[in-house]
Amino acid sequence: RAQRGSERRRAYTHPLADMSASLFGAALRASRTRVATAARQTRMMSAEAAEHQAHHEASMKQWEKITKLALPVLGVVAIANVVIHFQHGHHHEEPKFSYQHIRKKKFPWECSDCALFDGECWSKCRKN
């Protein structure tokens, strides 16, 4: 009878149970190995750490200098661009052909042929 009970137990256990336990153990061992390897790779002796820190500080100071030099240059270029842009006048050309100035419906303001922000048209309309 004892033998039958063990057979029953085996019959009711999942066939992958033993395999999943061994896979879990293998994964656990692999992760421990990876963690230990990573810890060894990132560990630096004091001379290496100081050299590494000095490199980072030098790099940071270099970029601070580049930024302090570049910002005024970019500011001057931006101001020059604005000055050049506003030196020449902007010309609003009337449509060359009648089909480009089609109004199917009048605008709902006093100068119904003028667009809302067309200052020249508004001044001409008010003079008439």
Side-chain angles (χ1 to χ4, degrees), residues 68-83:
K68 288 177 182 175
L69 177 70
L71 285 179
V73 171
L74 290 175
V76 168
V77 169
I79 290 171
N81 189 18
V82 169
V83 168

Side-chain angles (χ1 to χ4, degrees), residues 108-127:
W109 41 79
E110 62 183 275
C111 294
S112 59
D113 196 37
C114 297
L116 185 60
F117 297 108
D118 189 2
E120 290 180 27
C121 182
W122 278 89
S123 61
K124 288 178 187 176
C125 177
R126 287 188 179 143
K127 286 181 184 175

Side-chain angles (χ1 to χ4, degrees), residues 48-66 68:
E48 291 175 357
E51 183 180 313
H52 196 68
Q53 182 68 22
H55 169 72
H56 282 292
E57 288 177 6
S59 178
M60 182 181 67
K61 287 179 183 176
Q62 176 188 5
W63 280 106
E64 283 178 354
K65 289 176 187 175
I66 291 172
K68 288 177 182 175

